[in-house]
Amino acid sequence: MKSKSVLCLLVSALGSGSCIAADAQSDQGAYVGVFGGTGAAIATSLQQKGAVHLNNVRSLPIHANGSTGSSTRVSMGGVQAGYEWDRWNLGQARWSLKPAVELEGIFLGKYSPTGTMPVRPRALGTQYVTIPMKTNLLLANAVFTIQTPYSNKVFPYVGVGAGAAFVSIKGSDSANPSEPGINHFNSDPDASSTAFAMQLKAGIKGQIHKNLYLFTEYRYVSINATNYVFGATDYPGVHLPTAAWRVNLGRQQYNFVVAGLQYKF
């Protein structure tokens, strides 16, 4: 041990910090975590397309186009499993970077954005489309934790991830004030879609036990535009029949504040 300390002093005198790394016990390993939080959805575009069948020959094309409201409250929760490697020395005393890869399953709680959508032909007024949705995401992330000279218990980190979003809509409604009591999706108000998703996150985690960490972070989640097909309007004797309705929801974007626990093996 004495000879090892002398060797470290000699190496340090030459300007190298590698002794610290050599003496440090390996801290790489697997980890699991749980987390939850709350946030808001940013407004996005919403379109409804279809046609009203005037008779057996003629149909009137319908196109409603508008936007959902912003700052709609959304909850989220999830689990993660990952693997973190040993520190990479950044060339500064006690500054280092620990890379990790992880897989996350995320659930976005039910929320119901409503689009206010002027109709073409304009004489038909405005369509109000509500789409109660739940979303599940499966994301693969790269995460980088920073070791600073200021603490060996508290660590800032950043991460980026990509994967798939699975969106489910149940009980949608397409209403027009000129036709009270009519849901234009009534024959089938449910639909689903899959899209590419990505996220960015930045946070701080603190060691509260030998293997247990508490973390809090900001997350930005983005889901590409999705398309849905809802049932035709079916009110015999009350409303003219229609074709099935096609709905396009623009890119979904969310801001979240998240907290969780992480256990490292």
Side-chain angles (χ1 to χ4, degrees):
M1 183 67 188
K2 184 176 179 180
S3 61
K4 187 174 181 181
S5 299
V6 172
L7 178 60
C8 280
L9 289 173
L10 290 173
V11 174
S12 297
L14 295 175
S16 170
S18 59
C19 283
I20 298 173
D23 259 353
Q25 184 179 1
S26 172
D27 57 359
Q28 71 179 23
Y31 62 88
V32 294
V34 295
F35 54 88
T38 187
I42 299 172
T44 190
S45 63
L46 191 64
Q47 295 182 0
Q48 175 184 343
K49 292 183 178 181
V52 176
H53 300 315
L54 303 177
N55 51 47
N56 291 332
V57 179
R58 298 181 58 200
S59 294
L60 175 66
I62 303 294
H63 182 193
N65 188 11
S67 173
T68 64
S70 61
S71 299
T72 305
R73 185 65 60 113
V74 185
S75 62
M76 65 97 78
V79 295
Q80 61 184 203
Y83 190 91
E84 187 173 58
W85 280 271
D86 282 333
R87 297 181 179 92
W88 294 348
N89 194 332
L90 295 180
Q92 299 287 337
R94 298 180 62 190
W95 284 89
S96 59
L97 196 66
K98 293 198 294 184
V101 294
E102 64 185 25
L103 189 66
E104 288 187 328
I106 301 174
F107 169 75
L108 305 187
K110 181 179 178 180
Y111 79 108
S112 302
T114 297
T116 302
M117 304 157 63
V119 182
R120 295 201 307 265
R122 194 65 189 91
L124 297 180
T126 301
Q127 207 76 9
Y128 296 89
V129 174
T130 302
I131 47 175
M133 62 171 56
K134 293 181 180 179
T135 304
N136 295 314
L137 300 105
L138 183 63
L139 301 175
N141 304 320
V143 182
F144 300 93
T145 300
I146 303 169
Q147 169 78 59
T148 75
Y150 309 111
S151 175
N152 60 359
K153 297 287 186 180
V154 179
F155 310 97
Y157 62 89
V158 294
V160 60
F166 307 91
V167 184
S168 174
I169 296 174
K170 291 189 180 297
S172 64
D173 182 78
S174 176
N176 191 312
S178 65
E179 299 174 310
I182 299 293
N183 175 10
H184 293 82
F185 299 156
N186 74 305
S187 67
D188 187 4
D190 303 338
S192 61
S193 187
T194 303
F196 173 79
M198 59 85 65
Q199 72 169 346
L200 301 172
K201 60 181 180 178
I204 296 177
K205 64 181 178 181
Q207 187 177 16
I208 58 176
H209 193 265
K210 180 180 178 181
N211 298 94
L212 191 63
Y213 294 81
L214 175 67
F215 64 88
T216 183
E217 62 190 20
Y218 161 78
R219 292 192 185 215
Y220 165 80
V221 175
S222 173
I223 300 172
N224 279 8
T226 46
N227 297 286
Y228 309 90
V229 177
F230 295 102
T233 308
D234 185 18
Y235 291 92
V238 177
H239 190 285
L240 289 171
T242 73
W245 296 100
R246 298 185 178 277
V247 171
N248 174 266
L249 178 65
R251 185 161 65 102
Q252 302 169 59
Q253 301 176 81
Y254 306 87
N255 294 302
F256 291 107
V257 176
V258 176
L261 287 171
Q262 195 176 85
Y263 182 86
K264 189 169 183 180
F265 296 98

